[in-house]
Amino acid sequence: MRLVILDNYDLASEWAAKYICNRIIQFKPGQDKYFTLGLPTGLPRNHPESYHSYMWNNFFKHIDIDPNNAHILDGNAADLQAECDAFEKKIKEAGGIDLFVGGIGPDGHIAFNEPGSSLVSRTRLKTLAMDTILANAKYFDGDLSKVPTMALTVGVGTVMDAREVMILITGAHKAFALYKAIEEGVNHMWTVSAFQQHPRTIFVCDEDATLELRVKTVKYFKGLMHVHNKLVDPLYSMKEGN
């Protein structure tokens, strides 16, 4: 497990972006290599707060991705279980996930695998915890009645099957979750802790997120930054990757 600690949110984001860029180029993506995460149920794809809209507005429309290679769970599918099963099948047909990138909630949930989720779970329909609903209310003008209460999500087991996992954790409000993720044992009440057992996990965080960690832990991982920085320097180009 790697823990990469940067001074602030912007530097953490920049380091993660460079790492992802290098991994994509090293991977040499083709027509059948793709993947992304989940979409709250109950919202049409064109709803401004749907996960589909969020990903397109903040990422996909800024890169040269073929829309056919962007696979997002459809929370309005007629048969939600069939939608989840089909998503798992698409992952297998793609050869598995090479790099899963995700964040966590203050309660340590990864994707929408809320506290208490099975650590071997697969893509499924999940009831959202009240903390998650409250955290998302800001996207719905503070109106809790408009916030979805259920979501389709990849499971912890689905993510554990990825060849590599990157988790971004920033802000003091997620410091206790980072502590639970790396300094305590694996616990289904803190689903992010499952990645202690993944052979290739990278946690990328800012200084604020380390506030609950032991001083010794922070010093240890900061002492490895010269090694971690070799993962993003040099920054590869697609021309070099080919």
Side-chain angles (χ1 to χ4, degrees):
M1 182 192 77
R2 292 188 173 106
L3 175 62
V4 179
I5 303 172
L6 285 306
D7 288 345
N8 54 51
Y9 173 88
D10 289 339
L11 290 177
S13 301
E14 181 182 355
W15 194 98
K18 287 179 177 179
Y19 183 83
I20 294 167
C21 179
N22 277 356
R23 290 293 290 114
I24 290 174
I25 292 171
Q26 291 169 339
F27 180 59
K28 297 181 179 179
Q31 184 175 354
D32 299 320
K33 299 178 182 179
Y34 38 72
F35 256 94
T36 188
L37 186 54
L39 170 71
T41 59
L43 293 180
R45 281 194 166 199
N46 60 357
H47 190 288
E49 301 304 339
S50 73
Y51 193 73
H52 188 275
S53 295
Y54 180 87
M55 289 302 296
W56 279 103
N57 291 332
N58 291 280
F59 184 41
F60 294 145
K61 76 177 185 181
H62 301 288
I63 61 176
D64 60 348
I65 189 172
D66 180 345
N68 293 321
N69 286 340
H71 296 256
I72 297 179
L73 285 159
D74 183 2
N76 290 326
D79 187 334
L80 295 179
Q81 185 57 54
E83 173 71 8
C84 293
D85 293 342
F87 200 71
E88 289 279 343
K89 184 179 179 182
K90 287 177 182 177
I91 292 174
K92 291 182 179 178
E93 290 174 346
I97 301 172
D98 272 84
L99 175 61
F100 179 91
V101 180
I104 64 169
D107 60 3
H109 73 259
I110 179 72
F112 282 124
N113 293 284
E114 301 283 28
S117 295
S118 168
L119 300 185
V120 294
S121 55
R122 312 304 301 186
T123 302
R124 69 208 185 286
L125 178 66
K126 192 79 175 98
T127 301
L128 300 182
M130 181 52 67
D131 284 349
T132 301
I133 294 172
L134 291 171
N136 283 282
K138 62 185 178 182
Y139 302 115
F140 297 86
D141 299 321
D143 188 346
L144 292 179
S145 67
K146 295 180 181 179
V147 184
T149 58
M150 305 186 80
L152 300 185
T153 180
V154 290
V156 180
T158 309
V159 181
M160 285 290 288
D161 283 347
R163 283 178 274 279
E164 186 173 6
V165 176
M166 172 185 281
I167 306 296
L168 292 92
I169 306 175
T170 58
H173 64 301
K174 296 184 180 179
F176 194 66
L178 179 59
Y179 159 70
K180 286 286 188 177
I182 69 171
E183 287 195 345
E184 290 205 349
V186 175
N187 187 333
H188 69 164
M189 295 305 294
W190 298 84
T191 52
V192 67
S193 67
F195 302 111
Q196 293 178 25
Q197 297 186 318
H198 193 283
R200 295 189 66 188
T201 296
I202 298 181
F203 291 101
V204 181
C205 69
D206 61 3
E207 283 281 355
D208 286 348
T210 69
L211 292 177
E212 296 287 347
L213 298 180
R214 295 180 179 90
V215 172
K216 185 176 181 179
T217 299
V218 175
K219 284 185 175 181
Y220 171 73
F221 283 107
K222 280 189 172 181
L224 295 175
M225 279 305 296
H226 67 288
V227 177
H228 296 155
N229 283 334
K230 291 179 180 178
L231 300 173
V232 298
D233 186 13
L235 184 63
Y236 301 138
S237 71
M238 188 62 74
K239 183 175 181 180
E240 292 170 345
N242 292 331

